[in-house]
């Protein structure tokens, strides 16, 4: 999301996140009850509404260019949400009794804190580089800190199908079976993501220069380092803790990861400058992942993934290529 949109339509940002969260929730509901046709129909509605309203807004020119893109996006999200309402016939209900409020504060609030700490951890690097390096360093870093957008969608599409099974096993206290399903999802996601990371690093120069031009050549090492973070996009970490209701652990680990990130940025920036900030972020995400896996009791199973020769070979190739290009 561009800074121009944030400035011009700042009052609409909460609505954007509300619509995104609500659509994500109904997507999970649709997957859990097997309503794939409803999900596909809602996506068609989104595409049709977005394309037609975008054409209308740009043609009429009632708003400037940024708002003419942002407003149709909100309209399309709203249409998709109403499609879920009318097809699934599942409506939100407000029931704020003492029991529901206790559940919200016991389980929901720590997860809310963990989510925003995680977002802050992933973006505090941009705040710090702006303070330490100025506008030029921030521009180089911002271009280099480019994450391939559909990677997370692949992981979510894989894990969403298995999520109801994991929940059922945990409710029956069959933790071993739940872990096995989750690990199998991680393996399948890794088969897609690891080769993608390798080729992004291999063709980093072509990607950055092709998208942004020769003047951002200095962003290439940043992009290569940022690609390493995609390795951790092979799973939704904290799923089992969340299902178990141990959301306070997720919040604690997110806070520790944030502190580690800030400390490492200070030292790594002095040694490697702009690239050091990405490396600090990578290490803090590593701390987050390993701590979460340990608390879930999944660490040993996760490490056993690398007994798979293909996964180990791809991971080794990624790091060899990365250090070769530095």
């Amino acid at each position: 999301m561009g800074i121009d949109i944030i400035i011009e339509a700042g009052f609409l940002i909460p609505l954007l996140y509300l619509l995104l969260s609500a659509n994500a929730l109904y997507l999970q509901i649709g997957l859990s009850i097997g309503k794939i046709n409803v999900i596909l129909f809602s996506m068609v509605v989104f595409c049709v509404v977005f394309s037609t309203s975008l054409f209308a807004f740009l043609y009429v020119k009632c708003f400037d260019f940024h708002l003419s893109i942002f407003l149709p996006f909100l309209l399309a999200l709203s249409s998709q949400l109403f499609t879920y309402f009318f097809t699934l016939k599942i409506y939100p209900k407000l029931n704020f009794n003492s029991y529901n409020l206790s559940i919200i504060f016991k389980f929901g609030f720590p997860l809310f804190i963990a989510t925003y700490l995680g977002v802050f951890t992933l973006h505090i690097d941009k705040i710090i580089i702006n303070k330490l390096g100025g506008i030029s360093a921030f521009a180089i870093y911002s271009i280099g800190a480019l994450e391939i957008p559909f990677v997370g969608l692949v992981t979510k599409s894989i894990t969403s199908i298995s999520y109801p099974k994991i929940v059922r096993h945990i409710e029956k206290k069959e933790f071993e079976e739940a872990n096995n399903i989750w690990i199998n999802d991680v393996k399948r996601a890794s088969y897609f993501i690891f080769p993608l990371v390798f080729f992004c690093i291999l063709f980093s120069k072509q990607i950055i220069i092709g998208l942004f031009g020769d003047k951002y050549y200095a962003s290439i090492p940043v992009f290569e380092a940022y690609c390493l973070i995609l390795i951790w996009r092979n799973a939704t970490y904290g799923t089992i803790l969340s299902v178990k209701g141990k959301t306070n652990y997720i919040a604690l680990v997110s806070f520790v990861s944030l502190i580690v990130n800030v400390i490492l940025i200070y030292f790594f920036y002095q040694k490697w400058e702009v690239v050091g900030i990405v490396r600090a972020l990578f290490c803090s995400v590593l701390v987050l992942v390993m701590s979460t896996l340990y608390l879930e009791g999944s660490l040993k199973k996760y490490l056993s993934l690398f007994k798979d020769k293909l996964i180990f070979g791809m991971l080794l190739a990624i790091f060899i290529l990365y250090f070769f290009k530095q």
Side-chain angles (χ1 to χ4, degrees):
M1 184 183 299
I3 190 66
D4 294 326
I5 292 180
I6 294 175
I7 293 172
E8 295 171 9
F11 66 98
L12 291 174
I13 299 300
L15 176 60
L16 170 65
Y17 281 98
L18 176 64
L19 291 172
L20 288 172
S21 300
N23 276 295
L25 177 61
Y26 274 93
L27 173 63
Q28 295 288 344
I29 293 172
L31 288 170
S32 65
I33 61 178
K35 297 289 186 179
I36 305 299
N37 56 331
V38 173
I39 295 172
L40 293 175
F41 179 65
S42 74
M43 290 179 178
V44 171
V45 170
F46 175 88
C47 293
V48 171
V49 172
F50 180 68
S51 57
T52 53
S53 58
L54 179 63
F55 175 80
F57 273 74
L58 292 176
Y59 181 79
V60 176
K61 297 180 181 179
C62 294
F63 305 98
D64 66 13
F65 180 74
H66 296 106
L67 279 177
S68 294
I69 296 174
F70 185 61
L71 292 176
F73 184 66
L74 288 180
L75 186 60
L77 284 174
S78 303
S79 302
Q80 185 179 26
L81 183 59
F82 279 110
T83 302
Y84 282 130
F85 284 163
F86 293 123
T87 52
L88 294 177
K89 300 187 184 304
I90 300 174
Y91 309 104
K93 296 179 180 179
L94 298 178
N95 187 10
F96 293 119
N97 56 43
S98 58
Y99 175 76
N100 286 340
L101 287 174
S102 66
I103 293 295
I104 290 172
F105 281 102
K106 185 177 180 180
F107 300 111
F109 187 69
L111 196 58
F112 169 82
I113 295 297
T115 300
Y116 279 91
L117 283 175
V119 171
F120 193 62
T121 300
L122 291 175
H123 293 284
I124 194 174
D125 51 341
K126 299 175 181 65
I127 299 173
I128 293 175
I129 189 62
N130 191 34
K131 295 293 183 182
L132 294 177
I135 296 176
S136 59
F138 178 76
I140 292 171
Y141 186 86
S142 297
I143 295 298
L146 173 69
E147 184 173 334
I148 309 302
F150 56 83
V151 172
L153 294 176
V154 171
T155 302
K156 285 183 179 179
S157 65
I158 292 173
T159 57
S160 295
I161 297 172
S162 302
Y163 187 78
K165 298 177 183 177
I166 293 174
V167 172
R168 284 196 294 269
H169 282 301
I170 290 178
E171 286 176 345
K172 297 176 182 178
K173 300 194 181 301
E174 298 170 349
F175 302 125
E176 187 74 14
E177 289 80 359
N179 268 323
N180 289 336
I181 293 173
W182 184 79
I183 287 294
N184 187 54
D185 288 343
V186 176
K187 182 182 289 188
R188 286 191 293 165
S190 299
Y191 286 145
F192 172 81
I193 291 173
F194 286 5
L196 179 65
V197 173
F198 179 86
F199 284 108
C200 283
I201 295 175
L202 182 63
F203 297 107
S204 56
K205 179 179 177 181
Q206 290 82 355
I207 292 171
I208 293 298
I209 292 179
L211 289 174
F212 303 105
D214 293 332
K215 62 181 179 179
Y216 288 108
Y217 187 88
S219 297
I220 295 173
V222 178
F223 176 69
E224 291 170 349
Y226 214 82
C227 283
L228 294 179
I229 299 173
L230 291 179
I231 291 171
W232 308 119
R233 295 290 186 264
N234 64 341
T236 304
Y237 299 98
T239 298
I240 295 176
L241 283 177
S242 179
V243 174
K244 287 181 177 179
K246 296 181 178 180
T247 51
N248 54 326
Y249 286 171
I250 301 175
L252 177 62
V253 169
S254 299
F255 179 71
V256 171
S257 175
L258 174 61
I259 298 301
V260 169
N261 191 26
V262 172
I263 293 172
L264 290 181
I265 282 175
Y266 176 77
F267 292 104
F268 283 18
Y269 181 78
Q270 294 181 356
K271 184 173 179 60
W272 293 299
E273 296 184 344
V274 177
V275 178
I277 293 182
V278 195
R279 292 173 180 172
L281 179 60
F282 175 85
C283 293
S284 68
V285 175
L286 174 62
V287 170
L288 174 68
V289 168
M290 293 301 155
S291 301
T292 302
L293 290 171
Y294 176 78
L295 292 171
E296 287 181 339
S298 307
L299 182 57
K300 186 179 290 186
K301 278 187 176 292
Y302 185 85
L303 295 177
S304 69
L305 277 176
F306 302 106
K307 293 180 180 178
D308 185 311
K309 293 181 180 179
L310 182 57
I311 289 180
F312 179 77
M314 288 188 294
L315 191 63
L316 185 63
I318 288 170
F319 281 100
I320 289 175
L321 176 64
Y322 174 75
F323 287 112
F324 177 76
K325 295 194 71 176
Q326 298 311 298

